Amino acid sequence: MQEETAGSAIDTFISAFNASDDDYVTALLSQALTSDVVFWGPLGRSEGIEAVEQFVLDLRRHPAGAGTMVRCSAVDMPGEWARYQWVFTTPGGGPRLAGTDVVHLRRSLIDQIIVFAGEIEPVAG
């Protein structure tokens, strides 16, 4: 049951990266994250949906073009933290970024996110 709740919040979070329009990013993040979410990203620690939104918008504006983010593993929830793997791919065989996120949930919403990103590499064709 916990894995399903975490999976739903995670999938809504990931859908913000793939939103049809930047205007939908905030709405999707608001459905997945607490307002005081703590985000541990590649550039350090930040707080609030606005900080996560900026990260998502920056990735959506990747120089290689708008990419696609997908969850590529089941949600593993060995305790109060859940983890999953993801892949971000840019169009036309451009750079690919893969990693693992670890999230903590409070009242079915993500209140902490830790991003462990791997190296950017071209998609194998």
Side-chain angles (χ1 to χ4, degrees), residues 62-104:
H62 191 281
T68 303
M69 175 78 72
V70 296
R71 176 166 59 98
C72 60
S73 75
V75 173
D76 177 25
M77 193 158 192
E80 58 186 64
W81 291 84
R83 62 183 169 225
Y84 64 96
Q85 295 177 335
W86 53 266
V87 173
F88 176 79
T89 306
T90 57
R96 172 182 144 127
L97 180 63
T100 301
D101 285 2
V102 178
V103 301
H104 185 269

Side-chain angles (χ1 to χ4, degrees), residues 11-102:
D11 289 343
T12 302
F13 167 65
I14 288 174
S15 70
F17 290 91
N18 303 318
S20 60
D21 188 284
D22 284 354
D23 294 336
Y24 298 126
V25 171
T26 302
L28 289 166
L29 293 176
S30 295
Q31 292 175 34
L33 310 175
T34 62
S35 61
D36 61 345
V37 63
V38 176
F39 179 72
W40 299 88
L43 301 177
R45 181 184 193 273
S46 57
E47 293 182 28
I49 289 177
E50 298 81 15
V52 179
E53 178 183 19
Q54 190 58 55
F55 173 76
V56 171
L57 292 172
D58 287 348
L59 197 53
R60 286 172 55 89
R61 296 178 182 128
H62 191 281
T68 303
M69 175 78 72
V70 296
R71 176 166 59 98
C72 60
S73 75
V75 173
D76 177 25
M77 193 158 192
E80 58 186 64
W81 291 84
R83 62 183 169 225
Y84 64 96
Q85 295 177 335
W86 53 266
V87 173
F88 176 79
T89 306
T90 57
R96 172 182 144 127
L97 180 63
T100 301
D101 285 2
V102 178

